[in-house]
Amino acid sequence: MTPMEIGIIGLGRMGMNMGTRLVRAGHTPFGHDISPEKKTEAEANGLRFRSSVAELVRSLGAPRALWLMVPAGKAVDEAISQALPELSPGDVVIDGGNSYYKDSIRRAEELKERRVAFLDCGTSGGIWGLEEGYCLMIGGDAAPFARVEPVFAALAPQGGYRLVGPSGAGHFVKMVHNGVEYGLLQAYGEGFEILHSSDFDLDLKSIAALWNHGSVVRSWLLELAERAFEAGSELEDIAGCVEDTGEGRWTVAQAIDQDVPAPVITLSLLARLRSRQKESFSAKVIAAMRHEFGGHRVMKD
């Protein structure tokens, strides 16, 4: 496909790797980040760094393509606001972050008034995407999608990108994707905890490797579990605190809105919230009530 120029706003681990992959594919990515120290790394990877969003957009030949890899929410709106005075009819803005799909629908409508196209692109692949490629779930109109398709093709492995629907659909599909991920991770975590706490002296690394050969639960996540257990089955240097970036919450809320029962995803989200509590006050209340009605033993701090 024809090489393209593209501007990337946000050169974190994902944005930098995506720019590097595009360079390797023969494209010309320009990059900007709020951290000026990214300049050295970006240029070492072949990106053409620009010190401001406006300068970045002005560096691109029309029709322009701009890819946003910034945190969901206010940062996306700010990046669009900074770029908009320099954009022209026919340009396309791609949000490759984890934005809420209703925000993407709104942004598409706002940019449409300026005759600027908007594509919401749910991106999966993490830090492995540089070498393995990214799975790209894209929402928007067919014409701007076709125009920037060489970029999608370069970032994704074979069969790894698709226009899944109109504006908002890309981020909607990615939202549910991440909800499914929550459930998978929780199931693997619980399974390995049962193995770990058993009376058998089990090598969790070898079991993860074993399950990846012919088992119905084999997966890339299990390959990552095998890597994680390389230093030992105790995971001594890792705290059992699991963060979330919003997509699981949005998936649960959407399931409730649509009257769809999603107990596994919901419970996996709640398990993440519990993991961040140093101490559960609700558990204290339950222990106190059990003591009051039945004289059950209460453990002291």
Side-chain angles (χ1 to χ4, degrees):
M1 293 187 176
T2 306
M4 289 187 59
E5 290 184 346
I6 187 167
I8 301 175
I9 299 176
L11 298 177
R13 287 179 298 177
M14 289 278 283
M16 187 71 76
N17 283 351
M18 294 173 88
T20 303
R21 186 172 172 92
L22 289 172
V23 170
R24 293 177 181 178
H27 297 286
T28 305
F30 293 77
H32 167 73
D33 195 272
I34 58 174
S35 301
E37 58 268 23
K38 291 286 185 179
K39 181 177 188 293
T40 301
E41 182 183 357
E43 292 182 344
N45 290 330
L47 284 75
R48 304 183 184 186
F49 190 85
R50 295 295 182 264
S51 59
S52 70
V53 171
E55 183 185 358
L56 175 72
V57 178
R58 287 195 296 266
S59 298
L60 301 171
R64 303 169 187 85
L66 199 62
W67 190 297
L68 310 182
M69 284 303 293
V70 298
K74 184 179 178 181
V76 178
D77 289 318
E78 288 179 347
I80 293 174
S81 178
Q82 293 172 30
L84 201 52
E86 306 297 332
L87 294 175
S88 304
D91 293 344
V92 58
V93 174
I94 307 159
D95 179 7
N98 282 324
S99 291
Y100 184 42
Y101 79 97
K102 291 185 178 180
D103 288 337
S104 297
I105 294 173
R106 169 181 59 80
R107 290 167 184 142
E109 289 299 318
E110 291 172 350
L111 287 172
K112 187 176 182 180
E113 295 177 1
R114 302 286 293 268
R115 292 191 291 163
V116 173
F118 180 84
L119 299 173
D120 51 286
C121 179
T123 305
S124 182
I127 59 175
W128 292 84
L130 174 61
E131 302 299 336
E132 302 294 331
Y134 302 89
C135 179
L136 305 176
M137 299 148 262
I138 305 147
D141 294 336
F145 167 80
R147 192 163 71 247
V148 297
E149 190 171 3
V151 169
F152 296 134
L155 289 172
Q158 184 71 31
Y161 71 93
R162 182 165 298 181
L163 183 66
V164 297
S167 295
H171 281 147
F172 183 83
V173 172
K174 178 56 163 52
M175 176 187 77
V176 177
H177 164 283
N178 280 29
V180 172
E181 175 192 307
Y182 277 40
L184 291 172
L185 290 172
Q186 187 66 30
Y188 282 131
E190 291 175 8
F192 279 109
E193 182 167 7
I194 295 169
L195 295 172
H196 178 261
S197 63
S198 74
D199 292 334
F200 297 103
D201 183 17
L202 299 173
D203 183 341
L204 301 188
K205 178 181 180 296
S206 69
I207 292 172
L210 171 64
W211 283 356
N212 260 325
H213 291 80
S215 164
V216 296
V217 300
R218 63 187 181 273
S219 73
W220 182 56
L221 291 175
L222 265 181
E223 292 178 18
L224 298 181
E226 182 183 352
R227 285 174 53 92
F229 288 130
E230 282 182 354
S233 295
E234 299 300 321
L235 302 178
E236 295 92 343
D237 297 330
I238 298 178
C241 175
V242 186
E243 296 182 344
D244 70 281
T245 55
E247 298 88 352
R249 299 174 186 231
W250 300 337
T251 304
V252 170
Q254 190 70 33
I256 293 170
D257 287 345
Q258 296 177 195
D259 292 328
V260 175
V264 171
I265 295 174
T266 301
L267 289 174
S268 66
L269 171 64
L270 299 181
R272 290 193 179 199
L273 301 182
R274 177 63 183 89
S275 78
R276 299 199 289 271
Q277 291 182 307
K278 292 183 178 179
E279 188 171 44
S280 171
F281 185 77
S282 64
K284 284 188 172 187
V285 173
I286 293 167
M289 289 189 294
R290 289 183 76 247
H291 176 70
E292 293 298 327
F293 72 65
H296 298 290
R297 182 171 65 97
V298 175
M299 298 179 67
K300 300 295 184 180
D301 287 337

